[in-house]
Amino acid sequence: MGETSGRIKRACVIPANSRWRYMTGVSMSPETASASVSTPAPIERVPWSTMRPDAVARELGVDPLVGLTTEEVAARVERHGLNRLTSPPARPRWKLFLDQFRAGIVYVLFGASVLAGALGDVKDAVVILVVLVINAILGFAQEARASNALAALERMLVTRVRVRRDGEVVECVTEDLVPGDVVLLEAGDRVPADGRLFLAANLSIDEASLTGESVPVDKHAESLAPADSPLGDRHGMVFMNTTVVRGRAEVMISSTGMQTEMGRVADLLNESDTPSTPLQRQLDGLSKRLALIAGGAAVLVFTLQILQGQPFAEAAVGAVALAIAAIPEGLPAVVTVTLAIGISQMAKKNAIVKRLHSVETLGSTTVICSDKTGTLTLNQMTAREVMQGGAAWSLSGEGYSPVGEITDANGSGIDGDRTVSALLAAALCSDAVVRVDDDGVASIVGDPTEAALVVAASKSGIDIAATRSKQVRLAEVPFDSTTKFMSTFHRVDPADPDSDVLVCVKGAPDVLLARVTSFVDSDGAVQVLDETGRIARQADNDHLASKGMRVLALATRRLPAGEILNHDGSITDPENWIHELRLDALVGIVDPPRSEARDAIRLCRVAGVSVKMITGDHAVTAGAIAAELGIDGRVVTGDDLDQMSDEELAAQIDSIGVCARVSPEHKVRVVEALQSNKHVVAMTGDGVNDAAALRRADIGVAMGITGTEVTKEAGDMVLTDDNFATIVGAVERGRTIYDNILKFVRFQLATSMGAISTILGASLLNQPVPFSPLQVLWVNLIADGPPAITLGVDAPASDIMTRPPIRSDAQILTKARLSQVLFQGVVMGVATLGLFIWAHSVGHSEVLASTMAFTAFVLAQLVNVFNARSETQSLFSMYTFTNKMLLGVVFGVTLLQVAATTWAPFESLFGTTDLTLVQWGQCLLVPLVLLVGAECWKFVARRKQATRFEQ
């Protein structure tokens, strides 16, 4: 077994018909073997690294060349369970419910309930406790919804693996693996369970996740190691969650789930908590600061009222009411819920975001570095242009769909016989098959370039299946990388035994031009190819290549049957007849840009997000596609990047639009150069070597269709459709989620400032507190809660993608934002308190004055929630009516507030009384004042914004 590392290392060679001899060591019938193969020993106690692969196979009861049977797999699942690590025990739902009571606002409310009971107000005490329970139920339901959304995302990221069962290679979910399964691995795959190598071809595995070893370990199927050797020295074994970085392997699974080496340390992996996002930390700190402010204000209110001679009970009630109204306890929680629901919505749009903080980063993205093939393009080779004797024909349609037309430079149709003649070789000298399902979706079997030729032939009017069936292939010269052409031989008229033989050839233009003696000119006539004609045809080739197309030449030759066919109908040495050809056409083929990618790039430009193409393709091809997509900037190659220092690259990177012929190392350098210029970078990748660039980028975007398991693991986001437009959609959604959180913050803080202003102002003016604790609870539960929820799911603002990207270090509560919130809160408080004092001054009872202040404050919240949706946009715009859910909630809250002042049970509960229509009108003055004040503020803000724009 002394093969070099570059060769396949197969530790045991088994004849295809000797499965049973391999498993038992003696020759026997399958029936005898079935009775002799023992049930596998307890897997966890077997020293697999000390055993040769054939001994491991016998112990596991499997032939690696055939794999387990379906029945064996089912039996072993029953015995060993699913192949997954045990998660930490789920916290019981009753404990999750009790967690809702472990919050500062709950303690305040509970204290208020106890205080009310101690003062003899049993009604308030009971109601507050009921509200606590209702609030806990709502919080529990919200957190459950967020948790379910995240769990759904995890289910979408299920890993699949190739496994040999019943003698065939099939795919299965990693969790379904059992000991004895034979798994096939290649570069980029994540090892799904512990196993013994049966075959290793130039295999190297990154085991850093298990051993901490930073250098990949070479693996050999024949390697043995003592049972007590370190994991890193067991070169014949592979372990769960490590990564194949080079080569391929076939592995007999020896241990699954918690019996793996990774399972032994699973408890350690489960100890770490998910860190909070920067936004969550900001809001948590903001909540604590506001709680301190509210607590100080409550103490001040209590002190002032005691000094003013108010009874202790009334002073305490006023202080508690302020604390309840002012503490925005739900701020951090609403961020978690909004982010979780937001990424659930992203998943429905083909973008699976794996980490909560990535949503915030998406909104700050300033540069998207995208691969070309399959992301910016369709990854479906398409014939775009045909040249015949200098005449250029265009082919409409994209991808493998055979729907399309062939037109000349003026857009006019071309004679069908002429196009059929030009593209007949494309149909006959190709093996690809194009299939269209009942929904009109096309797929191919075979080479993509050949498929493009077949589709082009279909657009010319050729019935591919009928033509191939009629003009059967007599012989062929397969494509070879040395000769660079393929040739097939057919009867011109199969019904005529004396019919000529048609030689069809396709290949590289320079190769075929050397074998061509005539060509079809722009009028469809056959001309002798002299030196002038040869130069002209080379110019045609250069014309197509300059557009980034791959060019193939199509040529034919007719030969008398008696000259080429043997008596038995065969052809001797068919390659000897591939000369004196007639050049029928040159076909330009390209992987066309996605139409949606073109629109998405245009949207990025408006949004202040730069797009750069990073590809391994040729510079000419990449540049042509970039120009068609609208990607700005010059084209450089990997060699150009090698000539630049890091400082030079950083200085030039903003002017570069395309990096072609790049390696994975170049991708990392591009990311670092952009980041050195303070850019927030999203980088796409699909190959195993792209993982480093994805990890280095601020947002790593892995391809879900073509991407390896390594890139999916390294990425922060996985695209299930590999579509560039999905990235841009995710950026828009990231901005929207951040924007909605800002709306909630503005709304909640303005409410808190309004409550503090009202209650503290009343105490400073030696007035009774306008609100009772129950009325404040009503405001929090009814006037604030439902509208706030609708803000969290608000649709994107119309200008969300015309704003510049969110700064990565942006503070959620800027000076301008804080000033606006304080202004609106003070206006709300002053107007409410003014109405309350005025009602007293005209002789209204305290109950009526309190009812009017209470109602006015609730109505002001309904204006406040619309104000919070935009910092600058007027309420007198169509945008106000775009959130249908909010409109419905506002209508519902209004009806409930009417009930709170007209329905006897509510009047008794909240201490309110009926209001006349005139008094309702007077209450409406408070939200009107707030509306006018907010509009004035926004008007000034818009003027300042316009001035900055003009400058």
Side-chain angles (χ1 to χ4, degrees):
M1 309 302 291
E3 299 95 327
T4 62
S5 61
R7 297 173 59 191
I8 294 178
K9 304 176 183 64
R10 189 184 295 271
C12 44
V13 180
I14 311 163
N17 62 351
S18 59
R19 174 187 185 197
W20 305 105
R21 182 167 64 247
Y22 168 79
M23 294 173 63
T24 62
V26 296
S27 179
M28 61 180 69
S29 69
E31 292 77 8
T32 306
S34 178
S36 302
V37 176
S38 61
T39 302
I43 300 301
E44 64 274 12
R45 293 196 294 270
V46 179
W48 302 109
S49 63
T50 67
M51 302 167 62
R52 294 183 58 81
D54 52 354
V56 172
R58 283 194 297 272
E59 190 72 28
L60 292 171
V62 65
D63 178 355
L65 296 181
V66 179
L68 298 175
T69 65
T70 304
E71 293 75 15
E72 289 171 330
V73 170
R76 297 187 187 202
V77 168
E78 287 293 324
R79 178 181 178 189
H80 301 287
L82 293 175
N83 176 40
R84 61 185 177 199
L85 300 179
T86 302
S87 302
R91 191 169 177 81
R93 297 178 74 85
W94 65 270
K95 286 188 177 181
L96 292 175
F97 180 72
L98 290 181
D99 287 343
Q100 305 302 317
F101 296 96
R102 297 174 182 174
I105 188 66
V106 173
Y107 300 147
V108 171
L109 287 172
F110 185 75
S113 177
V114 171
L115 180 61
L119 296 175
D121 192 347
V122 178
K123 179 189 70 175
D124 280 10
V126 171
V127 170
I128 291 174
L129 290 177
V130 171
V131 168
L132 281 177
V133 173
I134 294 174
N135 190 59
I137 293 172
L138 292 176
F140 175 77
Q142 279 190 318
E143 290 189 10
R145 184 184 178 194
S147 177
N148 291 339
L150 295 175
L153 291 182
E154 291 182 3
R155 290 193 294 271
M156 294 179 70
L157 289 171
V158 168
T159 304
R160 303 185 69 84
V161 66
R162 291 188 304 150
V163 60
R164 184 177 291 128
R165 288 177 178 171
D166 295 311
E168 297 183 354
V169 176
V170 297
E171 278 195 353
C172 77
V173 177
T174 301
E175 283 191 352
D176 292 341
L177 290 178
V178 295
D181 261 327
V182 179
V183 172
L184 285 66
L185 301 173
E186 58 187 19
D189 287 343
R190 184 166 293 277
V191 179
D194 291 1
R196 182 68 171 88
L197 285 168
F198 154 63
L199 179 149
N202 198 25
L203 183 65
S204 184
I205 292 184
D206 180 358
E207 297 183 338
S209 61
L210 183 62
T211 66
E213 177 61 48
S214 59
V215 178
V217 180
D218 290 337
K219 296 287 184 174
H220 312 279
E222 70 276 11
S223 179
L224 300 176
D228 58 352
S229 61
L231 295 180
D233 293 341
R234 302 182 190 181
H235 296 162
M237 300 287 296
V238 295
F239 303 104
M240 174 186 273
N241 282 355
T242 57
T243 303
V244 181
V245 297
R246 185 181 68 243
R248 64 186 181 89
E250 294 186 11
V251 178
M252 293 177 286
I253 299 300
S254 57
S255 304
T256 58
M258 295 302 292
Q259 300 301 322
T260 63
E261 295 297 335
M262 189 62 72
R264 297 176 189 273
V265 296
D267 291 339
L268 298 177
L269 298 177
N270 291 328
E271 285 179 0
S272 60
D273 295 326
T274 302
S276 57
T277 75
L279 187 57
Q280 286 173 313
R281 291 194 291 272
Q282 279 194 58
L283 290 181
D284 185 53
L286 177 61
S287 293
K288 290 176 180 177
R289 289 195 297 273
L290 286 173
L292 289 175
I293 293 172
V299 171
L300 180 58
V301 166
F302 179 78
T303 302
L304 285 173
Q305 297 212 352
I306 289 294
L307 293 176
Q308 292 166 0
Q310 296 286 346
F312 175 86
E314 291 186 15
V317 167
V320 169
L322 187 145
I324 294 171
I327 300 176
E329 216 286 330
L331 277 180
V334 80
V335 175
T336 303
V337 173
T338 302
L339 289 175
I341 300 305
I343 63 177
S344 178
Q345 292 172 338
M346 285 185 185
K348 296 176 182 178
K349 300 292 186 180
N350 301 315
I352 301 177
V353 179
K354 296 162 55 181
R355 302 171 181 91
L356 284 180
H357 71 81
S358 301
V359 177
E360 300 172 35
T361 310
L362 278 169
S364 302
T365 300
T366 59
V367 178
I368 301 174
C369 295
S370 176
D371 190 18
K372 175 181 72 69
T373 304
T375 307
L376 292 170
T377 64
L378 287 173
N379 197 21
Q380 295 184 7
M381 301 303 290
T382 305
R384 277 284 188 83
E385 194 167 338
V386 173
M387 296 206 70
Q388 188 179 67
W393 304 341
S394 297
L395 286 79
S396 62
E398 291 183 345
Y400 297 131
S401 171
V403 177
E405 296 180 346
I406 302 178
T407 57
D408 61 18
N410 298 319
S412 302
I414 302 169
D415 179 68
D417 291 339
R418 188 173 170 190
T419 58
V420 167
S421 174
L423 295 171
L424 180 61
L428 295 176
C429 191
S430 298
D431 294 316
V433 177
V434 179
R435 296 170 177 164
V436 181
D437 62 20
D438 294 337
D439 296 325
V441 178
S443 61
I444 68 165
V445 177
D447 180 75
T449 301
E450 281 196 351
L453 292 175
V454 171
V455 171
S458 295
K459 292 176 181 177
S460 74
I462 297 174
D463 185 328
I464 304 298
T467 301
R468 288 177 174 177
S469 177
K470 178 181 177 183
Q471 295 182 263
V472 295
R473 192 174 294 182
L474 304 175
E476 69 176 280
V477 178
F479 177 82
D480 183 86
S481 58
T482 303
T483 60
K484 296 183 179 180
F485 67 79
M486 173 183 177
S487 179
T488 56
F489 298 76
H490 312 262
R491 285 275 195 182
V492 173
D493 183 1
D496 182 1
D498 297 323
S499 171
D500 289 348
V501 171
L502 179 68
V503 183
C504 297
V505 188
K506 74 170 189 294
D510 56 337
V511 173
L512 261 62
L513 281 174
R515 296 170 179 264
V516 165
T517 56
S518 62
F519 70 99
V520 180
D521 66 14
S522 58
D523 295 322
V526 179
Q527 304 288 346
V528 175
L529 185 67
D530 54 17
E531 188 59 28
T532 301
R534 195 175 302 278
I535 293 173
R537 301 295 72 76
Q538 184 61 52
D540 291 344
N541 176 52
D542 295 343
H543 168 74
L544 294 175
S546 67
K547 296 182 178 182
M549 298 183 185
R550 179 184 181 185
V551 186
L552 286 179
L554 300 177
T556 54
R557 181 186 183 187
R558 287 183 66 150
L559 291 166
E563 183 178 342
I564 186 173
L565 295 179
N566 298 321
H567 293 297
D568 60 358
S570 63
I571 300 174
T572 304
D573 297 328
E575 61 271 15
N576 291 337
W577 300 98
I578 307 173
H579 56 85
E580 298 181 13
L581 302 173
R582 182 188 75 190
L583 180 65
D584 292 331
L586 296 175
V587 183
I589 299 173
V590 68
D591 179 12
R594 292 177 180 266
S595 58
E596 62 270 29
R598 191 180 297 110
D599 296 335
I601 290 171
R602 189 182 304 114
L603 181 60
C604 282
R605 188 180 296 110
V606 175
V609 179
S610 174
V611 178
K612 300 186 184 300
M613 180 190 293
I614 315 293
T615 179
D617 211 339
H618 294 281
V620 173
T621 302
I625 295 295
E628 195 170 345
L629 286 168
I631 295 177
D632 300 324
R634 59 194 178 94
V635 180
V636 299
T637 65
D639 290 339
D640 296 329
L641 296 177
D642 289 335
Q643 303 303 314
M644 301 181 195
S645 66
D646 290 341
E647 292 74 18
E648 290 171 333
L649 179 57
Q652 298 183 41
I653 192 63
D654 286 335
S655 65
I656 295 172
V658 178
C659 298
R661 306 302 284 174
V662 296
S663 67
E665 291 76 16
H666 291 135
K667 288 189 174 185
V668 174
R669 285 195 67 202
V670 168
V671 170
E672 292 175 341
L674 289 165
Q675 290 173 332
S676 69
N677 291 345
K678 308 301 181 185
H679 284 294
V680 176
V681 184
M683 168 68 80
T684 70
D686 55 7
V688 60
N689 292 328
D690 291 333
L694 264 61
R695 288 193 181 98
R696 188 68 184 87
D698 299 283
I699 289 286
V701 183
M703 301 295 107
I705 299 175
T706 60
T708 62
E709 293 303 324
V710 175
T711 53
K712 293 176 188 177
E713 179 67 23
D716 302 288
M717 183 169 74
V718 178
L719 303 185
T720 60
D721 61 354
D722 290 9
N723 193 336
F724 177 82
T726 302
I727 305 175
V728 180
V731 170
E732 180 180 14
R733 192 67 209 171
R735 290 188 179 190
T736 300
I737 290 172
Y738 187 90
D739 196 40
N740 288 347
I741 291 172
L742 286 184
K743 295 173 186 178
F744 183 90
V745 170
R746 288 195 295 266
F747 175 62
Q748 191 71 59
L749 293 189
T751 298
S752 297
M753 292 301 104
I756 292 174
S757 300
T758 303
I759 298 174
L760 182 58
S763 299
L764 290 173
L765 297 176
N766 196 20
Q767 295 288 325
V769 174
F771 312 132
S772 70
L774 288 186
Q775 290 173 348
V776 172
L777 281 177
W778 176 266
V779 171
N780 280 355
L781 194 64
I782 302 301
D784 283 2
I789 293 173
T790 64
L791 290 179
V793 295
D794 208 357
S798 57
D799 64 341
I800 195 73
M801 289 299 280
T802 61
R803 306 173 192 171
I806 302 164
R807 288 179 48 186
S808 57
D809 59 348
Q811 293 295 309
I812 196 163
L813 199 59
T814 61
K815 289 182 178 178
R817 196 167 290 138
L818 179 60
S819 299
Q820 185 178 22
V821 166
L822 286 173
F823 172 76
Q824 292 180 357
V826 170
V827 168
M828 199 184 314
V830 170
T832 303
L833 186 57
L835 178 67
F836 179 71
I837 294 173
W838 173 84
H840 268 296
S841 68
V842 297
H844 290 325
S845 66
E846 186 168 331
V847 172
L848 179 56
S850 174
T851 301
M852 292 180 68
F854 169 46
T855 301
F857 194 80
V858 169
L859 296 178
Q861 296 313 302
L862 303 184
V863 173
N864 181 30
V865 73
F866 286 106
N867 274 333
R869 293 184 70 209
S870 174
E871 293 180 336
T872 58
Q873 194 164 0
S874 171
L875 260 68
F876 299 101
S877 67
M878 292 306 297
Y879 178 64
T880 300
F881 305 100
T882 56
N883 190 332
K884 299 296 190 295
M885 184 184 297
L886 176 58
L887 293 174
V889 165
V890 166
F891 180 73
V893 171
T894 303
L895 292 180
L896 287 173
Q897 184 61 29
V898 171
T901 59
T902 57
W903 191 36
F906 273 9
E907 289 181 331
S908 175
L909 182 64
F910 295 111
T912 58
T913 187
D914 290 352
L915 298 178
T916 66
L917 286 177
V918 172
Q919 290 164 348
W920 271 99
Q922 292 165 346
C923 291
L924 287 172
L925 291 175
V926 172
L928 180 61
V929 169
L930 175 61
L931 175 62
V932 172
E935 286 296 308
C936 290
W937 183 282
K938 291 183 177 182
F939 175 77
V940 173
R942 288 196 298 273
R943 292 298 298 268
K944 289 181 178 179
Q945 196 176 64
T947 302
R948 286 196 301 269
F949 180 77
E950 291 171 358
Q951 292 174 346

